[in-house]
Amino acid sequence: MGWLDRILGREGDQSSNQSPQNHRAAELVFEPAGPMEIARCPGAEALIHLERLQSEGRDAGFTTVLLGTDDDIEMLKECRDCREGDTTEWIGRANELDVDAWLAQRLAESSEAEESGAGDGDWPAEAPASGEISSHRDPLTLEPYPVVCLARIPTTHSWEVPIHTGMGDWNECPDASVLAAFARRWQLRYGAEIVSATHDVLEFTVSDPPTTREAALELAREQYLLCADIVDQGHGSIAHLAAALQNSNYWYFWWD
């Protein structure tokens, strides 16, 4: 069973195999776009193409992710063009970053985080929905976009994706080296892989999520310090976020 089946809850549903076979016949045309290659497809077909291309990429030396719409592509390009240093330098920064020290500094600098540190909120009576990959959909209508972009990135390490695309370093969104460092940490600890990276959203599939309440709370506190909006404008409390993370194969981050 592939990651798409796990995310969409299609265990053993043989009827779901009909659509992928049809979509595999459609060839995507990739074109150079800075440090990566980009292809466009209907939003309704995006996840089918994504799963196939990710499987192919493991042997071909690339990672495929959803990049959202052409507007996302343009904003990522603007961020990338304003950045100093090449890809190798930024990957080096990510590898050298002490994530625990970064978290401690973030906590010390954030009065809101310090105030919330003593209380994570009440654990919900029922586990909230963990969600599913959504960058191919309009967040207001929930309908697939007419056209979305897929990026083929020259690395087998999905944690490097923010660096190659140029994501981050605006408002409260950390720069690409920080995003990559956290993604690398979570890949090692939880089997987390980036599958979508628009200008303001990161989405992961997760093969080894936290299974206990304590582990989920620890992870939720980390995620809140990296991306407060997923709590302040989303789950409402760290405990609610932790309940969504427990045993979930999907993570979502969004910066306002």
Side-chain angles (χ1 to χ4, degrees):
M1 180 173 61
W3 61 259
L4 182 56
D5 297 301
R6 292 196 298 271
I7 293 294
L8 299 180
R10 300 192 316 203
E11 298 181 41
D13 181 4
Q14 297 302 315
S15 64
S16 66
N17 291 332
Q18 299 302 316
S19 180
Q21 292 296 334
N22 292 335
H23 289 307
R24 281 176 185 151
E27 291 293 329
L28 297 182
V29 178
F30 281 88
E31 300 176 350
M36 53 195 166
E37 296 178 317
I38 291 175
R40 292 167 175 81
C41 72
E45 300 178 4
L47 296 187
I48 303 302
H49 288 298
L50 179 63
E51 184 177 33
R52 173 177 59 82
L53 289 165
Q54 285 191 326
S55 178
E56 294 174 1
R58 295 186 187 100
D59 297 324
F62 63 82
T63 294
T64 303
V65 294
L66 272 168
L67 284 191
T69 65
D70 281 305
D71 287 340
D72 289 300
I73 297 293
E74 185 60 32
M75 284 184 273
L76 286 169
K77 183 180 183 302
E78 290 177 5
C79 290
R80 196 168 62 246
D81 289 346
C82 292
R83 192 175 69 185
E84 296 183 359
D86 61 22
T87 299
T88 301
E89 292 177 54
W90 281 82
I91 292 173
R93 294 181 195 179
N95 278 315
E96 293 169 4
L97 183 70
D98 185 331
V99 173
D100 288 320
W102 189 94
L103 286 167
Q105 182 177 355
R106 188 81 156 192
L107 182 64
E109 291 175 350
S110 172
S111 59
E112 292 182 3
E114 288 182 86
E115 291 170 2
S116 66
D120 299 319
D122 296 327
W123 195 269
E126 296 184 7
S130 59
E132 61 184 36
I133 299 169
S134 59
S135 292
H136 60 302
R137 297 181 181 276
D138 185 315
L140 298 179
T141 67
L142 301 182
E143 292 297 318
Y145 288 113
V147 177
V148 296
C149 302
L150 292 165
R152 196 159 58 188
I153 298 173
T155 178
T156 56
H157 304 297
S158 75
W159 60 266
E160 295 179 5
V161 164
I163 292 171
H164 288 268
T165 63
M167 187 180 184
D169 201 17
W170 55 272
N171 290 354
E172 291 300 311
C173 184
D175 71 34
S177 67
V178 175
L179 298 175
F182 272 88
R184 181 176 183 271
R185 173 188 180 97
W186 293 334
Q187 194 280 324
L188 293 172
R189 293 187 176 186
Y190 305 103
E193 301 285 350
I194 295 175
V195 293
S196 174
T198 73
H199 82 282
D200 60 356
V201 168
L202 274 179
E203 297 180 284
F204 292 76
T205 57
V206 186
S207 62
D208 190 22
T211 58
T212 67
R213 182 176 297 190
E214 293 74 17
L217 281 167
E218 180 181 356
L219 175 61
R221 295 181 192 115
E222 284 190 9
Q223 293 193 358
Y224 176 66
L225 289 172
L226 180 70
C227 181
D229 286 332
I230 57 175
V231 171
D232 297 340
Q233 300 189 55
H235 286 279
S237 73
I238 289 175
H240 195 276
L241 171 61
L245 294 174
Q246 188 176 8
N247 297 312
S248 173
N249 296 120
Y250 170 79
W251 296 351
Y252 174 87
F253 296 85
W254 169 74
W255 290 267
D256 191 1

